[in-house]
Amino acid sequence: MTIIESKVSINKPVNEVFDFLSDLNNHQQLMPENIYNWSSTKDEAKFTIQNMAKLALKVSSITKNKEIIVKPSEEAPFELELKWTVTEDGEGKTEATYTISADLNMMMKMIVSGPLQKLVDHEANALKTILSTK
């Protein structure tokens, strides 16, 4: 299993960060420009990654103010899990960690690990930017 992760510190309480992340409608704001055909509800999202794949995702587990796990709801190019974990740092700030776990063979790992790392970094930084301006 390939693990790709990015961590950011956000100057907001954990419940605000969690509430934003727990609604998949908000995730469109976190996506880079190469994502299109976005449609979503609170618990599901469908979109296309330019020159790569179409994905349909669904919240598979949620632990209030701690963790949100999202998995494909339709067949994906490889086994995949997306996880947001939020923890309070004790000073009213939240540390948000975004992790993608993907079952990649060596060839796929060489091809997609770079773009997946860019995606994870982009989404984590976009979350920080969006919530810092609210």
Side-chain angles (χ1 to χ4, degrees):
M1 197 60 88
T2 301
I3 309 291
I4 298 166
E5 191 172 271
S6 190
K7 200 177 283 194
V8 290
S9 179
I10 302 166
N11 198 14
K12 292 282 182 188
V14 75
N15 64 309
E16 279 187 47
V17 177
F18 181 84
D19 289 347
F20 181 88
L21 289 171
S22 64
D23 185 346
L24 292 187
N25 288 311
N26 292 329
H27 287 242
Q28 183 175 13
Q29 299 172 59
L30 305 178
M31 295 294 167
E33 291 178 7
N34 67 336
I35 302 293
Y36 61 98
N37 290 339
W38 180 276
S39 67
S40 60
T41 65
K42 184 174 180 356
D43 297 321
E44 293 187 56
K46 291 183 179 186
F47 55 91
T48 303
I49 305 169
Q50 187 176 1
N51 300 326
M52 287 183 83
K54 290 182 182 180
L55 279 180
L57 303 171
K58 186 174 188 168
V59 173
S60 70
S61 117
I62 199 160
T63 306
K64 183 85 172 133
N65 292 335
K66 295 240 184 276
E67 181 179 84
I68 300 150
I69 297 175
V70 178
K71 292 187 176 180
S73 58
E74 296 175 5
E75 191 172 334
F78 44 83
E79 196 176 317
L80 183 68
E81 178 185 270
L82 300 94
K83 178 168 65 172
W84 282 99
T85 307
V86 292
T87 54
E88 191 134 9
D89 76 351
E91 298 175 17
K93 292 182 182 175
T94 299
E95 189 170 272
T97 306
Y98 185 38
T99 308
I100 294 180
S101 304
D103 189 11
L104 303 172
N105 62 36
M106 286 306 286
M107 184 66 150
M108 285 295 283
K109 188 174 182 173
M110 287 171 40
I111 295 169
V112 301
S113 60
L116 285 177
Q117 185 66 58
K118 282 182 184 173
L119 175 66
V120 167
D121 292 342
H122 180 89
E123 286 190 58
N125 289 318
L127 175 70
K128 181 176 183 169
T129 301
I130 288 164
L131 292 181
S132 294
T133 58
K134 282 190 172 195

